[in-house]
Amino acid sequence: MRGPLSWVCGLSITSNSRNVDAAYRLINWQASPKAQAIRAGDGYVLTNPTAIDLVPKKYRGTADPATIEGAIAESRRPDEEEWVHVFQEFQAR
């Protein structure tokens, strides 16, 4: 396989969250053009392409989603359940 590796880090709100409104504000901020432009300066590729105009020119080449065309997407292992089980046993020690 050739090509850059890619993965998606996500945000979620658990069922027992105490401040759902604040959680949504954080998620919306992280997806905003301003926050995306900040992340581009840290080497991340934009997930909100409307942010490209806010990204300093020196980071646009690496921030543009087009630069990862043909990327190898993160995927689940076929034996993921076994990996989770082993990890949970390790945490329990």
Side-chain angles (χ1 to χ4, degrees):
M1 290 183 156
R2 292 197 179 256
L5 298 176
S6 68
W7 67 93
V8 175
C9 299
L11 299 170
S12 60
I13 302 171
T14 63
S15 63
N16 61 347
S17 294
R18 293 185 184 164
N19 195 337
V20 174
D21 289 339
Y24 274 110
R25 283 195 305 275
L26 174 63
I27 290 171
N28 289 336
W29 161 252
Q30 294 295 344
S32 74
K34 186 173 181 181
Q36 290 282 300
I38 292 168
R39 296 289 178 269
D42 294 330
Y44 290 92
V45 175
L46 300 176
T47 55
N48 183 342
T50 65
I52 197 71
D53 291 337
L54 300 176
V55 175
K57 290 186 191 289
K58 68 181 180 178
Y59 300 121
R60 286 187 186 174
T62 56
D64 186 346
T67 63
I68 61 168
E69 187 174 329
I72 302 163
E74 173 186 38
S75 60
R76 293 179 177 250
R77 297 183 51 87
D79 57 349
E80 181 177 358
E81 287 184 32
E82 178 62 22
W83 279 74
V84 170
H85 175 73
V86 169
F87 182 69
Q88 288 170 338
E89 285 184 352
F90 172 78
Q91 282 186 312
R93 294 181 183 184

